[in-house]
Amino acid sequence: MDRPNVLLFLTDDHGQWANGCYGNSELQTPNLDRLAAAGARFANAFTPCPVCSPARACLMTGRTPSQVGIHDCSRRRNRSSATLTGWPAR
């Protein structure tokens, strides 16, 4: 069996309500609407944190914000402290 081709879009401050494919007639999102029509869209979703940086770290690692050590928006830091703990080994 071939591996699936998965494309995941992550956007900041862009709720489900902000897409035409979910019923919004005021905002025009033709490219996202076309992708949604040709692929799959989520009807329900969960985030372990409402802030983008920890939520993205959790998605990439499969861990909670406390486990990855990112609890708020990322800022420029010393490189040695900016690594994700527990990054999955290849």
Side-chain angles (χ1 to χ4, degrees):
M1 180 176 190
D2 290 335
R3 296 173 75 179
N5 185 14
V6 177
L7 179 63
L8 178 65
F9 284 92
L10 296 175
T11 60
D12 290 338
D13 300 325
H14 188 177
Q16 177 180 341
W17 62 269
N19 291 294
C21 63
Y22 286 103
N24 189 318
S25 59
E26 295 180 22
L27 298 176
Q28 297 179 0
T29 55
N31 295 323
L32 292 175
D33 297 345
R34 189 170 43 253
L35 284 169
R41 2 180 231 129
F42 292 104
N44 297 298
F46 170 81
T47 182
C49 184
V51 180
C52 63
S53 298
R56 288 177 182 201
C58 294
L59 180 66
M60 291 189 293
T61 62
R63 297 174 183 253
T64 66
S66 294
Q67 290 173 315
V68 294
I70 300 175
H71 301 280
D72 58 7
C73 294
S74 292
R75 294 176 198 35
R76 268 199 114 115
R77 299 184 176 124
N78 179 334
R79 286 237 179 221
S80 64
S81 67
T83 59
L84 291 174
T85 57
W87 186 260
R90 289 196 122 194

